[in-house]
């Protein structure tokens, strides 16, 4: 950690280098407000996150789920509870299904879904909620930005753009969250995924 210090006079005229906790016999917390939130990672002007035009897709249906959705073939898959995540390099797709009494609206998504995102997404930057049309019906799209997880080797985080779609059908919400580096050109692949959703 790079700690900046200052020179201050102490008893006897000796100069000591003070840092976060150092002083003339003083001790205490580095900050009363707790750790600072991470700053937004810089967005790259030419990010290496574009999904190839020749990417193949395969249908995915979680066990017992009432939907199928096409995801890029060959991406790594992990499942945690109702969440299934597909990743490749800097891009990520998360799919989940949840009970929901009413269809979502931009207002309900903003009020109910955004606060948890703000607490869990590093350097969260809010966007907006809108209704969009897809082949499976109307969905609420919420766009926002945040930092990716730090690379385990380099420690570097990437500034990501998120598209979070909430579909509703017969008392269930299906949430499809797509993310990749800001400025990456993934408009067509993300449309392919969200247009592929089918109810079963």
């Amino acid at each position: 950690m790079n700690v900046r210090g200052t020179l201050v006079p102490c008893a006897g005229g000796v100069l000591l280098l003070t840092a976060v906790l150092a002083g003339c016999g003083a001790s205490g917390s580095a900050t009363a407000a707790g750790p600072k939130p991470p700053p937004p990672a810089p967005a790259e002007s030419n990010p290496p996150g574009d999904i190839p035009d020749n990417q193949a897709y395969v249908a995915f249906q979680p066990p017992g789920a009432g939907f199928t959705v096409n995801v890029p073939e060959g991406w790594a898959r992990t499942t945690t509870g109702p969440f299934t995540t597909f990743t490749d390099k800097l891009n990520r797709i998360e799919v989940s299904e949840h009970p929901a009494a009413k269809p979502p609206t931009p207002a309900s998504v903003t009020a109910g879904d955004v606060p948890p995102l703000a607490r869990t997404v590093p350097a969260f930057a809010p966007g907006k909620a809108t209704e969009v049309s897809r082949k499976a019906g109307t969905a609420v799209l919420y766009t926002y930005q945040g930092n990716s997880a730090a690379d385990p080797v380099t420690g570097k985080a990437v500034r990501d753009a998120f598209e979070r779609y909430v579909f509703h059908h017969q008392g269930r919400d299906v949430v499809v969250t797509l993310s990749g580096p800001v400025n990456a050109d993934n408009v067509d692949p993300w449309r392919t995924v969200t247009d592929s959703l089918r109810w079963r």
Side-chain angles (χ1 to χ4, degrees):
M1 179 174 68
N2 184 18
V3 178
R4 297 178 60 184
T6 57
L7 290 173
V8 298
C10 286
V14 180
L15 292 177
L16 294 179
L17 179 66
T18 65
V20 177
L21 299 178
C24 298
S27 63
S29 173
T31 172
K36 293 183 179 179
E44 300 185 39
S45 58
N46 187 26
D50 292 358
I51 298 172
D53 293 337
N54 62 352
Q55 173 67 56
Y57 296 82
V58 294
F60 168 70
Q61 181 183 6
F67 72 96
T68 61
V69 64
N70 290 351
V71 297
E73 185 177 29
W75 285 25
R77 184 175 82 182
T78 58
T79 300
T80 304
F83 300 94
T84 302
T85 304
F86 301 86
T87 55
D88 180 70
K89 300 179 179 68
L90 300 178
N91 295 302
R92 185 174 184 269
I93 299 173
E94 182 184 86
V95 181
S96 60
E97 186 178 34
H98 315 273
K102 297 179 180 180
T105 65
S108 69
V109 167
T110 300
D113 297 1
V114 174
L117 293 173
R119 290 193 299 268
T120 58
V121 176
F124 174 81
K128 62 180 180 178
T130 57
E131 288 189 346
V132 296
S133 179
R134 293 294 185 266
K135 292 181 179 179
T138 300
V140 174
L141 165 63
Y142 184 70
T143 58
Y144 58 99
Q145 291 188 8
N147 289 358
S148 69
D151 184 280
V153 177
T154 65
K156 179 182 177 182
V158 175
R159 191 64 175 165
D160 279 346
F162 293 78
E163 296 183 9
R164 187 176 188 273
Y165 294 80
V166 185
F167 297 86
H168 183 86
H169 183 70
Q170 296 182 350
R172 308 286 288 179
D173 278 354
V174 171
V175 182
V176 180
T177 303
L178 315 161
S179 62
V182 170
N183 297 327
D185 183 11
N186 287 331
V187 173
D188 291 341
W190 290 163
R191 184 64 184 245
T192 296
V193 172
T194 55
D195 253 346
S196 73
L197 185 74
R198 295 291 184 272
W199 305 111
R200 299 183 65 85

